[in-house]
Amino acid sequence: ERESPCAFFITPVHFIDRCYGYAVLSYGDEIKSIDITYRNWTNHVSNALESMRIRNSIANLAVRDAMTGVYSRIGIEKNIQFVVDRMSNPKNKAFISVCDLDCLKKINDNFGHNCGDIAIKAIADAVLASTKNHEICARIGGDEFVLFVRDVESRKYVYEKAQNIVDIISAKENMSIPEDVTISIGVVFTDGTEKDYTELFAKADEALYESKHAGKSCYSEYGVKLDGRKASKTIPVITR
């Protein structure tokens, strides 16, 4: 036995030329038409969705970098401080990595600021591509980026991640950036006993400049004292 036919009214839910979806209404097997109440309801829904979109866009601008789409300085500071404040188990470690594009001024001077912007976006894409769901990437100004990872599996995991970013930028596969563009990285670990993000960032930044002094295109860890030789797969000397 066949079911009785039903009529459906399918109405786009839109605000001017932005469509959010469709509203579907059925009266069963009754023959009716859409009345003004239904039209007003869909208009109210459309207006509410547009208001939410605008509010979310404004909120997103406060925590996202407009050029690269990653978090801004404000966005990552809030996220890192929130996580670090709630770290109670010393076995649960997190790390902050500061990544800096080498020779940006040279790129801007020789090729123009548009090329510099392309290089910055390429760095953002490379750092972002190396992250997992719970890892946070941000551009904190100019050509400097921060990567924050909580619940770190091991120091080896961090070293491999840092080296992977260095290698991606050095290889420049599918990247429209000059050949001499490289990246330097500084790393600092925390187990939650040190909760001040500003202090943690300063230490990672200090490690970054050790990488710069070691010849660039490498990574360094704050507080680790090795032999100081320049090589992208070793950690230069860091003393305080």
Side-chain angles (χ1 to χ4, degrees), residues 64-201:
R64 291 282 180 178
D65 176 62
M67 179 188 294
T68 61
V70 300
Y71 277 104
S72 64
R73 177 185 289 272
I74 294 175
I76 198 164
E77 285 180 359
K78 288 182 177 179
N79 277 280
I80 290 177
Q81 197 61 65
F82 179 84
V83 173
V84 172
D85 286 345
R86 285 155 182 78
M87 289 179 65
S88 56
N89 188 347
K91 293 182 179 180
N92 294 334
K93 295 186 181 298
F95 86 89
I96 297 173
S97 173
V98 180
C99 311
D100 188 82
L101 178 65
D102 299 321
C103 306
L104 178 62
K105 185 179 186 304
K106 182 179 177 181
I107 296 171
N108 288 334
D109 292 344
N110 293 339
F111 303 100
H113 287 272
N114 285 340
C115 187
D117 290 347
I118 291 172
I120 289 172
K121 292 176 184 176
I123 298 297
D125 291 342
V127 176
L128 195 59
S130 72
T131 62
K132 296 180 179 179
N133 291 335
H134 65 286
E135 301 173 354
I136 305 171
C137 172
R139 180 186 176 212
I140 58 173
D143 57 347
E144 198 166 35
F145 293 83
V146 167
L147 178 63
F148 175 69
V149 179
R150 58 182 175 85
D151 300 329
V152 176
E153 301 167 8
S154 65
R155 271 179 157 74
K156 181 182 177 183
Y157 171 80
V158 175
Y159 300 154
E160 289 176 348
K161 180 178 288 290
Q163 186 61 47
N164 182 54
I165 295 172
V166 170
D167 290 343
I168 288 173
I169 301 303
S170 296
K172 299 177 183 60
E173 293 183 12
N174 301 317
M175 291 184 181
S176 301
I177 57 178
E179 277 300 313
D180 56 352
V181 172
T182 56
I183 192 170
S184 298
I185 300 175
V187 175
V188 65
F189 288 89
T190 179
D191 58 5
T193 55
E194 190 169 15
K195 296 183 178 292
D196 187 347
Y197 163 75
T198 304
E199 181 65 22
L200 290 169
F201 173 80

